[in-house]
Amino acid sequence: MSDDHTPRLALPMLQPAQAQKETTHNEALALLDLAVQASVLAVGTNVPPVAPVAGNAWIVGSAPTGGWAGQARAIAGWTSGGWRFVVPREGMTAWSVADAQAARFAGGAWTTGVLAGTRVTIGGVDVVGARRAAIPDPTGGTIVDSQARTAIGAILGALRGHGLITG
């Protein structure tokens, strides 16, 4: 960590005997305003809007132009002082208004609409859990009814095991 910026969001730090500390402090607040509970109008935009409104933000695409040149994949926010940029960190999430979904930064790229986890819980009840072994297709035999019952029983067992249906 340098003594003049924070290690995670590169927010400017106040320095001893620094003149006009309010400038540094206000810059840090402007960047925090973009990064904390981030909400963007769109993801992957390469061209800055012509008439941005203070407080609006976008996730810059991979080939930015104009005032966003050199800021690929950053969160770009318009402020009364012009454009501010937040460089994303692994795992950072922002709400995309255009997609009505969360956008997540991982592996150097933003993705929207992808949920990752080990289970889904609704009302304190697991409704989807870890994947179980595949159910084999019925084969052979002369009594189809018996095979069908076995296959249906296996399907029901798997659905119960995942919490998708109850016992």
Side-chain angles (χ1 to χ4, degrees):
M1 174 178 130
S2 71
D3 290 339
D4 56 350
H5 287 87
T6 62
R8 289 182 35 130
L9 294 176
L11 301 174
M13 303 276 288
L14 296 175
Q15 299 300 311
Q18 175 183 343
Q20 297 182 331
K21 291 183 183 201
E22 68 279 0
T23 302
T24 300
H25 178 73
N26 289 342
E27 180 66 17
L29 289 176
L31 292 171
L32 279 173
D33 192 45
L34 286 172
V36 176
Q37 296 292 324
S39 177
V40 298
L41 295 180
V43 177
T45 305
N46 285 308
V47 179
V50 176
V53 175
N56 286 345
W58 294 261
I59 291 177
V60 179
S62 59
T65 62
W68 292 355
Q71 299 293 335
R73 293 180 256 327
I75 296 175
W78 182 255
T79 68
S80 59
W83 290 110
R84 300 287 194 285
F85 300 95
V86 173
V87 176
R89 295 183 50 87
E90 191 72 14
M92 185 177 247
T93 302
W95 181 256
S96 170
V97 174
D99 300 308
Q101 298 180 42
R104 184 169 173 263
F105 187 78
W110 288 95
T111 56
T112 56
V114 177
L115 298 176
T118 56
R119 68 182 204 220
V120 175
T121 303
I122 297 176
V125 176
D126 286 353
V127 293
V128 177
R131 186 174 290 215
R132 292 187 171 198
I135 300 169
D137 292 334
T139 58
T142 57
I143 304 173
V144 175
D145 185 50
S146 173
Q147 293 172 352
R149 287 177 188 270
T150 301
I152 290 169
I155 291 168
L156 291 173
L159 292 172
R160 286 183 189 110
H162 283 296
L164 296 173
I165 62 171
T166 58

